[in-house]
Amino acid sequence: MTAAGRRFVLAVALALPTLAAPARAAAQRRPASPLAGLDAYVAKAVRDWGIPGLAIAVVKDDSIVFAKGYGVRTLGTTDPVDANTLFAVGSTTKAFTAASLGLLVDEGKVRLDDPVVRYLPSFQLADPWVTRELTVRDLLTHRSGLGGVDLLWYGPTWDFAEIMKRLRYVKPASSLRSRYAYQNVMYATAGQVVATASGMPWSEFVRQHWFAPLGMTRTNTSTSALAGVPNVATPHVRIDDTVRAIAWRPLDAIAPAGAINSSVADMARWIRFLLDSARMPVPAGASSPRVLSARSFAELFTPQFVIPAGAFYPTTSLTHPNFITYGLGWFLHDYRGARVAMHTGSIDGMSAIVGLIPARRLGVVVLANLDHAELRHALMYRVFDLYLPPDATPPRDWSTEMRGLYAGLQAQAKQQAEAEDRRRVTGTHPSLAPEQYAGAYLDSLYGTVNVRMEAGGLVLTLNPAYVGDLGHWNYDTFRITWRDHQLGTTQAVFTLGGDGAVRAVALDGIGEFIHQAVEGAGVRH
């Protein structure tokens, strides 16, 4: 620039002081970012809740506006959590499975209201009519009529083919479509429909159709894929008020229900895709085509089944929703006049939540390396409050409120356990000598329970995860203290036959196992 030019610019600048001052004033009046203060809030909350490590990302419109990690990947180390740290995302996997079926619907390869047996001819439940009538949509909406059968995959080394064979022995908890009951195995079955209809395993389908196109480069579908990968969180559980590191829980047998491992940076890409009506990111200026049709996309977030308040999260006592329903892979409810789609994920030592307010193109993901770290709910609602219009109520400290809520629930559970202990009948004795309870006990659904003598006491094995020591409770009831202490305790009630020998053992909340004559088991016949 010439000297004359510089003098001209300086003259113009000096001649416009009245314009510069209002501009500065306007900048000072401009409202701060909605996320101002979120960083400090999360950091304090993580400390207050005693969570080893946590990461959070927020998506607004087409941008990832916040992504940060807090704490450490493993307690006792200094390895920090960041936005790329891998966690198990648990049941937030279900949204990927539902979207995969939506894609296959668009391709004409699946119809949601087709019976499952059209795609899986060997699928069989206890009731032949339900077997014939159960649809793909039923698999995705927790209305199959089956109760909890998670012990089919939690602990056993069975693959999904073996799990599916055993479903015929599950007694229905209700009639088809009459009651909501959360069902991981049905989502695993939905993943098998994806595999059959597409001609490729579910894990490969989600990799090709979701992870790769969205740039979710660190995301995978198996704990085995974590070997040698850097920046991976360690699961932790709280046992007797002490947080301890534990091993990862393999979920390969029911992967479509909850096996994805990801980071908040990668999950934010998935959220951005969903908030953009299922359009893949494209270079600036290019047209962004839909991946899912408008109809299939809308189906994901359309209420499919009403959820009773008592079957939803305890947070309802604080948030007071007017409706609670389930879509396809999403819980749907309202909050402060906005429609929310959300889902949590929980598996040994890991916690997740993904929450969306689609109408405001707002989404949040929280991942933590502590079992049931319910701070996740607090942070989701905190982010929602930062973007929803202010109302007449003062801002809420969700972390403090949620901590109080869950502390109260823990105290209540402790009181119930103490009340159960008081119901114990003291001064009784087992009918038989300890070794006479030893033996093999069989159930068609869960396989064989083995009871053996070890170091003078009885040890019961249900599967590799459930190994416990039996202590006499009263009469022929024993309390099982599982060696994996996060599993707590269970009652085992032995039943004697007319000949005085053991006939069966019933495990509280699991089922009855019939005694089998085993040579050398030390059982009186």
Side-chain angles (χ1 to χ4, degrees), residues 418-478:
E418 291 171 348
E420 179 66 28
D421 288 350
R422 289 193 295 271
R423 284 194 286 270
R424 178 183 183 182
V425 180
T426 59
T428 68
H429 302 279
S431 300
L432 305 173
E435 64 272 12
Q436 292 179 295
Y437 294 95
Y441 300 79
L442 183 65
D443 174 68
S444 298
L445 178 59
Y446 292 119
T448 301
V449 160
N450 286 295
V451 179
R452 69 182 188 278
M453 291 294 298
E454 182 181 295
L458 289 169
V459 176
L460 182 147
T461 299
L462 173 61
N463 59 46
Y466 280 81
V467 179
D469 298 287
L470 273 64
H472 181 249
W473 187 248
N474 51 219
Y475 303 110
D476 289 313
T477 298
F478 292 74

Side-chain angles (χ1 to χ4, degrees), residues 1-15:
M1 181 180 291
T2 65
R6 284 194 295 271
R7 286 195 299 271
F8 175 77
V9 171
L10 178 61
V12 170
L14 293 174

Side-chain angles (χ1 to χ4, degrees), residues 64-95:
I64 301 172
V65 295
F66 190 93
K68 189 173 180 181
Y70 302 82
V72 294
R73 303 197 292 266
T74 306
L75 202 61
T77 75
T78 57
D79 299 332
V81 170
D82 59 33
N84 292 303
T85 301
L86 290 179
F87 297 81
V89 305
S91 287
T92 65
T93 298
K94 290 177 171 67

Side-chain angles (χ1 to χ4, degrees), residues 145-153 170-171 173 179 181-185 445-446 509-510:
L146 300 186
V149 290
D150 284 341
L151 281 176
L152 285 175
W153 59 267
V170 178
K171 296 177 181 178
R179 198 178 79 182
Y182 196 81
Q183 245 300 332
N184 286 304
V185 175
L445 178 59
Y446 292 119
I510 299 174

